[in-house]
Amino acid sequence: MQEYRHVLFATDLSPKAAEVGRHAQGLAARYGARLSFVHVIEEVNVSAGYELMPLLPEMPDEALTRESKAALARLAAELGLPEAVQTVLTSVSTKAGILDTAAELGVDLIVVGSHGRHGLALLLGSTADAVLHGARCDVLAVRLPD
Amino acid sequence: MQEYRHVLFATDLSPKAAEVGRHAQGLAARYGARLSFVHVIEEVNVSAGYELMPLLPEMPDEALTRESKAALARLAAELGLPEAVQTVLTSVSTKAGILDTAAELGVDLIVVGSHGRHGLALLLGSTADAVLHGARCDVLAVRLPD
């Protein structure tokens, strides 16, 4: 029988984050697994207009990183897991950031929220999709109401 | 805390089916949830050559359906769940068949195997992807070795 030992909750820190987090927490608890957190700050893609590049700071926005770390710490505390591993990183893609963290921590399950997709969102794809494509471990997509 | 009450294991009856099934079973057991099974026989898509149509039987292949039902029953028995709901249906798409069954049974989690995807398989998409796009409930993709 599959034993999950380490669950990674990948969160966008949206208003629904705690809801998805409780799913991840409940599952981890049932397996006696560790629960870690990751939030990825996606680098701005400027390929559509090179002329904008000089206007952008070369370094990741430190204030944004600091804010995200604080929000992730609040989320972990809200779930009663203030000591859990909390990773905030900047990456060219949310997918890459989540998968890199999953590989680094050696998790066997990634939990991610999944929105309904219509119109433009369907064309753009979703983080749940992207993670599913690249993950070397199991992925649980927690469905959020539209 | 999220309580899964009814888990649907969607299986392609491939050699790895029992492995994915044990994941589904272990999870259902931990939540005290029911576990049901579904296998979809995909209708042959003949849109690329209408001239082939008269050669195809109008009815779904009864022998294939019978064989699939027997294989699904063996799988359920192998997992020690011979009395579980086992649905075999023919549909224009595996996705539609799984989602219809999920809605009909009112499940709150679909478990499906997920293969690594490279080359052509990446272009064609996967059942896990397709189910994720349309599901109204949570989806657990169990990663299978390439």
Side-chain angles (χ1 to χ4, degrees):
Chain A
M1 194 183 281
Q2 169 76 10
E3 299 288 340
Y4 293 124
R5 290 174 304 273
H6 195 166
V7 177
L8 179 63
F9 168 37
T11 177
D12 58 3
L13 297 173
S14 72
K16 293 284 183 186
E19 191 178 315
V20 182
R22 278 188 291 269
H23 284 58
Q25 184 181 27
L27 193 143
R30 283 181 168 83
Y31 281 87
R34 288 176 62 194
L35 181 62
S36 295
F37 297 72
V38 62
H39 172 70
V40 179
I41 300 169
E42 204 161 288
E43 283 169 19
V44 178
N45 185 332
V46 292
S47 60
Y50 286 110
E51 70 279 7
L52 289 175
M53 286 189 79
L55 300 175
L56 292 167
E58 276 185 34
M59 298 293 292
D61 187 332
E62 282 175 28
L64 179 59
T65 301
R66 204 164 47 236
E67 256 179 47
S68 298
K69 281 186 177 170
L72 194 59
R74 281 195 301 274
L75 180 60
E78 188 181 337
L79 297 176
L81 296 164
E83 305 298 328
V85 170
Q86 299 157 29
T87 306
V88 171
L89 78 165
T90 303
S91 173
V92 288
S93 82
T94 302
K95 168 188 172 174
I98 292 171
L99 296 182
D100 286 353
T101 305
E104 198 168 303
L105 296 177
V107 305
D108 36 27
L109 177 67
I110 300 169
V111 178
V112 64
S114 172
H115 293 273
R117 300 193 305 149
H118 307 284
L120 189 59
L122 187 63
L123 290 174
L124 290 173
S126 71
T127 298
D129 266 343
V131 169
L132 183 58
H133 290 180
R136 308 297 303 172
C137 64
D138 293 3
V139 176
L140 174 64
V142 174
R143 188 66 166 72
L144 293 168
D146 293 335
Chain B
M1 193 183 283
Q2 169 77 11
E3 298 290 339
Y4 292 124
R5 291 173 304 272
H6 195 165
V7 176
L8 180 63
F9 167 37
T11 176
D12 58 3
L13 298 173
S14 72
K16 293 285 183 186
E19 192 177 316
V20 183
R22 277 188 292 270
H23 284 58
Q25 184 181 28
L27 193 144
R30 283 181 167 83
Y31 280 87
R34 288 177 61 195
L35 181 62
S36 296
F37 297 73
V38 62
H39 172 70
V40 180
I41 300 170
E42 204 160 290
E43 283 170 19
V44 177
N45 185 331
V46 292
S47 62
Y50 287 110
E51 70 279 7
L52 289 176
M53 288 189 80
L55 299 176
L56 291 168
E58 275 185 36
M59 297 292 292
D61 188 331
E62 282 175 28
L64 180 58
T65 301
R66 205 164 46 235
E67 254 178 50
S68 297
K69 281 186 177 171
L72 194 58
R74 281 195 301 274
L75 181 58
E78 188 181 338
L79 297 176
L81 297 164
E83 305 298 327
V85 170
Q86 299 157 29
T87 306
V88 171
L89 78 166
T90 303
S91 173
V92 289
S93 83
T94 302
K95 167 187 173 175
I98 292 171
L99 295 182
D100 286 353
T101 305
E104 199 168 304
L105 296 177
V107 306
D108 37 28
L109 177 68
I110 300 169
V111 177
V112 64
S114 172
H115 293 273
R117 301 195 305 150
H118 307 283
L120 189 59
L122 188 63
L123 290 174
L124 291 174
S126 71
T127 298
D129 267 342
V131 168
L132 183 58
H133 290 179
R136 309 296 303 171
C137 65
D138 294 3
V139 176
L140 174 64
V142 174
R143 188 67 166 75
L144 293 167
D146 293 334

